[in-house]
Amino acid sequence: METLVSSPLQMKPQATAPAVDLANDLARGRAAPRRLSILGATGSIGRSTADVIAAAPGRFAVEAVVGGRDAKALAAMARELGAACATLADPAGYAELADLLSGSGVEVAAGPQAVVEAALRPADMLVAAISGAAGVAPTHAALAAGRMIALANKECLVCAGAAFMATARRAGARLLPMDSEHNAIHQALGGADPATVEKMILTASGGPFRTWTREAIDAATPAQALAHPKWSMGPKISVDSASLMNKGLELIEAHFLFGVEAARLDVLVHPQSIVHGLVSFADGAVTAGMAHPDMKTPIAHCLGWPERIAAPVRRLDLAELGALTFERADLARFPALGLAMAALARGGGLPTILNAANEVAVAYFLEGRIGFRDIAAGVEATCEAMERAGEAREPQSVEEALAVDHIARERARGLLEARPNSGKVRV
Ligand code: NAD
Ligand code: MG
């Protein structure tokens, strides 16, 4: 088992680390702006990151902004943030992006290789907020180059967690958890010795189907799955939150980030989404990270780290809230969470396979090609098929993880398309 002390997250700041330079500069009253690059700048996390930057004038400068397909949104974000460079993953959008930014002085690029190059441009911190395994290659390249990463993209660690953590240690690079639960746990840990941690608990709001019957959940539509009661997020993570696969992915994320094995990780459903993560210690003490459910709080914690910066969010008034409630997760109604727990416990290539199959299934569900229950069924069938075929060995590198991811996507597509004319597919 990895230990917290050796985790890149917990390493003591080095004298040469940019974050420490910033802290020293601030103490001397001559802070240079921290230079950020943002992968996934046009998404939900990207938008909130721009809002945090705007609320801290003079504190940040933006090097690169990266988006997927939407040239208009990326051009607008590049202008808003005064970025030096704007990169679109889709090469077909290059001409439109260049046209929109002509005369602005913003450098323009497009294509998957250009995304990796954008991630490698000189910056103090990379905000990794692409959705899905598409974030693995550019985020890993920046990590290998020693860049400090504010990690929103949990799929990086689910797909290639062991390789990511090994690279972070080798490169002396720091991974700051931006996912709200992991950010809360990072804060609740307060640098504690991992031997004294009995449990790390991630909370889940329970999503839009928390009180629904199994039959009603099975028949849920994309619009119902996207209507999250507490968080406003991109479509993929919203569906994952409805199935509770998101919490399963987060358990795997926590395992790699904090070096804590499955038996010391737990999930608690907490509909108010005020307590995001808890750490339970051997002396009976429990510390918790609390905030309103607004990603600008963990984003600000990462962007300013190790300093605290002001974030444009509502302040917490517990008396106004009155009551906070907690309940156990129901694995019978939310089988995706159980599948992720099993993948974490069994290890090997299963987290990578689970993540890839889930991405394919969620995309099919959003396109109306399969039903909600088929997401978990398709993930389970893909994991079983690849285990049976001896294709679930642990990837030894990011390249191997991406190769397993590729095979798992093909298998998942094959399984989900097995009966293409039957309407809602049942695997
Ligand atoms: P989103 O769908 O709103 O945004 C995704 C971003 O990635 C967009 O900018 C999109 O253009 C870009 N993108 C998509 N495919 C790309 C590709 N192939 N190459 C380059 N860019 C590409 O998603 P989001 O809700 O902002 O989530 C982003 C990540 O953060 C996810 O991994 C999610 O799990 C994680 N996260 C999100 C939240 C949240 O509240 N939104 C909370 C915790 C963690
Ligand atoms: Mg989260």
Side-chain angles (χ1 to χ4, degrees), residues 15-403:
T16 53
V20 173
D21 289 344
L22 178 74
N24 290 339
D25 285 348
L26 285 166
R28 288 194 290 269
R30 55 171 180 78
R34 175 173 273 185
R35 212 158 176 79
L36 308 173
S37 287
I38 307 168
L39 303 181
T42 57
S44 167
I45 293 286
R47 177 68 258 158
S48 293
T49 301
D51 292 343
V52 170
I53 292 171
R59 188 101 193 195
F60 301 103
V62 175
E63 177 64 26
V65 286
V66 172
R69 288 210 184 113
D70 187 342
K72 276 191 194 64
L74 185 64
M77 191 53 97
R79 286 182 188 274
E80 177 182 335
L81 292 173
C85 155
T87 303
L88 208 55
D90 180 7
Y94 177 81
E96 187 186 359
L97 184 66
D99 190 41
L100 287 163
L101 288 172
S102 86
S104 67
V106 181
E107 267 178 63
V108 172
Q113 187 49 36
V115 170
V116 173
E117 283 160 21
L120 287 170
R121 285 175 73 106
D124 300 313
M125 179 185 280
L126 181 78
V127 176
I130 289 175
S131 177
V136 168
T139 307
H140 186 259
L143 194 65
R147 199 79 77 245
M148 180 157 54
I149 311 278
L151 187 72
N153 181 304
K154 65 197 76 182
E155 293 92 342
C156 280
L157 291 182
V158 183
C159 174
F164 257 72
M165 300 315 284
T167 298
R169 273 190 291 272
R170 203 164 42 240
R174 186 178 301 276
L175 273 170
L176 293 171
M178 194 178 258
D179 206 350
S180 55
E181 297 77 4
H182 308 72
N183 186 270
I185 287 174
H186 181 203
Q187 299 195 45
L189 265 172
D193 178 350
T196 62
V197 172
E198 282 191 343
K199 276 252 186 292
M200 283 184 187
I201 303 160
L202 287 73
T203 66
S205 72
F209 308 147
R210 182 176 63 88
T211 58
W212 290 27
T213 62
R214 173 79 201 248
E215 293 69 33
I217 296 171
D218 284 351
T221 64
Q224 290 169 325
L226 290 172
H228 198 278
K230 287 290 170 194
W231 295 94
S232 162
M233 310 178 286
K236 195 262 176 183
I237 183 175
S238 294
V239 175
D240 286 346
S241 298
S243 68
L244 293 200
M245 178 60 91
N246 182 52
K247 214 47 55 184
L249 300 178
E250 290 182 351
L251 286 173
I252 300 171
E253 178 186 16
H255 161 72
F256 286 115
L257 257 179
F258 300 113
V260 166
E261 71 280 17
R264 286 198 288 155
L265 293 169
D266 214 346
V267 168
L268 208 48
V269 174
H270 167 46
Q272 297 82 18
S273 293
I274 296 295
V275 179
H276 303 293
L278 306 101
V279 180
S280 166
F281 294 95
D283 58 5
V286 177
T287 56
M290 297 196 274
H292 279 291
D294 184 333
M295 286 305 294
K296 291 193 284 295
T297 291
I299 289 170
H301 182 257
C302 288
L303 295 197
W305 190 89
E307 298 277 311
R308 291 271 179 185
I309 62 171
V313 295
R314 254 176 87 197
R315 301 310 195 247
L316 198 54
D317 179 343
L318 289 172
E320 181 196 318
L321 285 165
L324 300 178
T325 61
F326 301 89
E327 57 198 69
R328 304 231 175 272
D330 180 352
L331 299 184
R333 286 184 304 129
F334 297 97
L337 176 58
L339 291 174
M341 286 171 156
L344 172 59
R346 296 171 71 102
L350 283 173
T352 313
I353 295 165
L354 173 103
N355 184 61
N358 181 57
E359 277 193 40
V360 170
V362 169
Y364 275 32
F365 170 69
L366 286 171
E367 289 164 14
R369 297 169 71 175
I370 62 171
F372 191 76
R373 75 176 281 281
D374 299 320
I375 298 174
V379 169
E380 185 172 22
T382 308
C383 289
E384 282 175 3
M386 287 187 66
E387 251 196 324
R388 265 199 313 274
E391 293 170 331
R393 282 184 299 276
E394 174 149 31
Q396 299 300 312
S397 64
V398 166
E399 292 70 28
E400 280 186 30
L402 289 174

